[in-house]
Amino acid sequence: MIMTLRRLDYHALIAFLPRDARVLVWSCNTCARLCNGFGGKEATKALCSMLAEDGLEIVGGEVLSVSCFKSVIRKRLDRADLRMMAEKATHLIPLTCRTGVEMMRNELPWLEIVEVGETVGLGYLSESRGAVLTNSIVEMLDLPDEGIPLSEVAEDLGLFLGPFER
Amino acid sequence: MVSITEGKPLEHTLEQLSTTREVTILSCNTCAHYCGTGGRLAMDHLAFHLNNNGVTVVGKELVTKVCIQEQLRGCNHTKTIVLMACSSGLISAKEAWPDAVIVPTNSTLGIGSYDPDTGSATLLFPFPGHETSRGARFPSLNTEAIR
């Protein structure tokens, strides 16, 4: 399971987006959801609601089971309603891992991608410890054999855990 | 993104099992399956070779994601488990079954992408010690672990 944290808090996100942005939120419902709810249906719905309450135009919130498979993304983009949303949008917020971001960048090159995630490595979902990072792709992290809970990784790296909140 | 794994040679696994008569094979059906180091087919191959080399496979368990620990509930296993998963799956299984002896068949090289159209995974972010394999595709032609 791929472990992803959040780079920005909500205030930084809203400050970054231009007031006339038309926003599409796209999320992965597997690893990103299991990283303390960084992605997934609920996180997508909540972020869309918050942005809309703050006056931004939300053109859609799309959730895929996986966003790291090109063929899955292309199949979804074949759907007319989603294609229209993507063509109408100016900004895309991917609640996905790094590969998901790259897939979006390749498939939807006209959109400005707002990179809100930071993929930190590989891990597992423990029944007692929650999401645990076991292998890091971040050089500054030195991990013990049993890994580190993702919440501690967020603290160590100065990143944010879970979904956007006010 | 997927974890990229490479199978260790069968001889290595047999060495680890030199004093073991009965095992359960536990195989991950997601990332490891994409890399040819897990899934049902690789598990069946490994079972065949273990049985032929004096290690009796008394159980085979296919788990969608070994790294989601709750999916391990309900798995029946012997004292020794031969695990076809990535390093995160290994830690997940060790935590779930602290009294079991777990023998991993795979090395985890890093993180990458998978293309269902070509059926291959590519190593994008190698872990320390595997930097020279960046960009390599898996399953590799070296199928020694399941030959």
Side-chain angles (χ1 to χ4, degrees):
Chain A
M1 157 182 169
I2 305 301
M3 308 304 253
T4 302
L5 289 163
R6 190 159 42 83
R7 291 181 182 182
L8 307 173
D9 64 12
Y10 180 70
H11 299 293
L13 174 64
I14 201 86
F16 176 83
L17 291 166
R19 301 305 299 165
D20 59 351
R22 296 188 299 277
V23 179
L24 174 62
V25 179
W26 187 308
S27 180
C28 180
N29 205 36
T30 306
C31 303
R33 175 177 60 87
L34 297 172
C35 291
N36 294 72
F38 163 65
K41 283 180 191 169
E42 285 182 25
T44 302
K45 194 176 166 188
L47 180 58
C48 288
S49 297
M50 285 192 285
L51 292 171
E53 282 168 18
D54 285 324
L56 287 162
E57 184 179 349
I58 304 299
V59 300
E62 192 64 20
V63 181
L64 256 73
S65 56
V66 288
S67 293
C68 54
F69 290 5
K70 195 187 294 179
S71 57
V72 174
I73 293 174
R74 286 190 172 166
K75 194 173 173 188
R76 185 64 66 95
L77 284 170
D78 283 344
R79 229 177 57 193
D81 60 332
L82 184 59
R83 174 56 66 173
M84 278 175 61
M85 278 192 255
E87 285 171 359
K88 188 181 176 192
T90 57
H91 289 71
L92 175 70
I93 302 176
L95 302 177
T96 67
C97 73
R98 201 158 154 180
T99 299
V101 173
E102 290 310 312
M103 293 283 173
M104 305 286 157
R105 209 186 293 285
N106 290 333
E107 298 302 316
L108 305 166
W110 62 90
L111 292 178
E112 182 165 344
I113 309 280
V114 185
E115 281 197 54
V116 296
E118 182 72 42
T119 296
V120 291
L122 190 65
Y124 72 106
L125 188 62
S126 165
E127 292 198 280
S128 59
R129 301 166 75 203
V132 176
L133 180 71
T134 58
N135 298 83
S136 172
I137 57 171
V138 180
E139 281 182 12
M140 61 190 285
L141 274 181
D142 193 18
L143 297 179
D145 289 347
E146 69 277 14
I148 299 179
L150 200 54
S151 53
E152 291 178 26
V153 177
E155 276 181 30
D156 289 351
L157 296 178
L159 297 169
F160 302 93
L161 182 71
F164 279 105
E165 291 169 336
R166 277 191 197 282
Chain B
M1 270 182 162
V2 298
S3 65
I4 304 290
T5 48
E6 189 171 54
K8 295 176 183 175
L10 177 65
E11 288 73 16
H12 181 271
T13 304
L14 289 170
E15 252 176 52
Q16 302 289 106
L17 298 172
S18 59
T19 59
T20 307
R21 297 183 67 89
E22 292 187 336
V23 301
T24 302
I25 301 178
L26 179 71
S27 183
C28 184
N29 204 29
T30 305
C31 305
H33 168 58
Y34 302 148
C35 294
T37 60
R40 186 177 299 280
L41 183 63
M43 178 170 67
D44 288 345
H45 272 95
L46 181 62
F48 175 81
H49 289 292
L50 291 180
N51 282 323
N52 275 359
N53 283 279
V55 178
T56 305
V57 177
V58 297
K60 292 187 287 183
E61 295 278 353
L62 188 66
V63 175
T64 304
K65 283 174 181 278
V66 177
C67 61
I68 310 296
Q69 204 173 59
E70 69 175 11
Q71 294 187 7
L72 300 179
R73 281 189 211 156
C75 286
N76 294 310
H77 64 87
T78 45
K79 170 79 179 166
T80 302
I81 299 167
V82 176
L83 182 69
M84 307 178 80
C86 68
S87 53
S88 294
L90 174 62
I91 298 174
S92 174
K94 279 183 173 175
E95 188 182 86
W97 301 308
D99 296 331
V101 175
I102 302 179
V103 176
T105 61
N106 297 334
S107 300
T108 304
L109 310 185
I111 296 175
S113 63
Y114 175 69
D115 183 352
D117 294 335
T118 61
S120 67
T122 305
L123 179 61
L124 300 176
F125 306 105
F127 294 146
H130 300 289
E131 291 85 353
T132 55
S133 297
R134 189 190 301 270
R137 288 191 165 197
F138 298 86
S140 66
L141 293 176
N142 177 8
T143 53
E144 191 174 9
I146 57 168
R147 74 181 192 275

